Structures are given as structure tokens and as C-alpha cells.
Amino acid sequence: IGSLGDLEVLNLKGNKFKSLPSGIGRLRKLKFLDISDNELDVVPQGISNLTDLEILLMHNNLFKAIPSDLLS
């Protein structure tokens, strides 16, 4: 997934994913990411590296905590 460096929109909603590839953090041009309605229990590593990200949807998962660096 990290080889898709020019990707700006990624919709992974409703796939029952339990995890996402670590390479998601290398999608530096990503502006919209929807990981809602899956079975994720940990926020994917590297999400905070997505500095161009404008919209992050992650509702209806199994998260127990949200990393503080995502909230700033």
C-alpha cells in the first residue's frame, strides 16, 4: 500500500478489517481516509504521519484509546 504515494482518497469502510498495513503511514498525499465500520482495536500506526490528511473517519470500530498525537 505504501507504493501508492500519490493516493489522495482511501475508503476502507465496512470491510471487517482487524488491522491495516503499516505502510498506510507512507501515503503522504492522503487527504481523506475512512476506516469506519471495521473491527480495528488499535489505531493504525503511521496515521499521525499523514500530514496532508484533512478528513479521518474511524467510527464504529473497537478502539479502546486514541493516540494523543491524533487529537492535536
Side-chain angles (χ1 to χ4, degrees):
I1 196 165
S3 64
L4 302 170
D6 290 332
L7 194 66
E8 293 185 3
V9 174
L10 182 58
N11 185 344
L12 301 174
K13 180 179 181 175
N15 288 290
K16 298 188 179 180
F17 290 134
K18 295 183 186 295
S19 65
L20 295 178
S22 59
I24 202 162
R26 292 194 302 266
L27 301 175
R28 301 290 179 159
K29 295 185 180 180
L30 205 60
K31 295 180 185 298
F32 175 93
L33 176 59
D34 188 349
I35 57 173
S36 302
D37 300 317
N38 283 289
E39 297 177 2
L40 302 169
D41 59 359
V42 176
V43 176
Q45 249 183 315
I47 293 277
S48 59
N49 296 335
L50 303 175
T51 55
D52 285 353
L53 196 63
E54 297 172 3
I55 298 173
L56 173 61
L57 304 174
M58 9 187 266
H59 58 275
N60 293 333
N61 278 287
L62 305 173
F63 302 126
K64 293 177 179 51
I66 305 295
S68 60
D69 57 340
L70 281 183
L71 302 174
S72 58

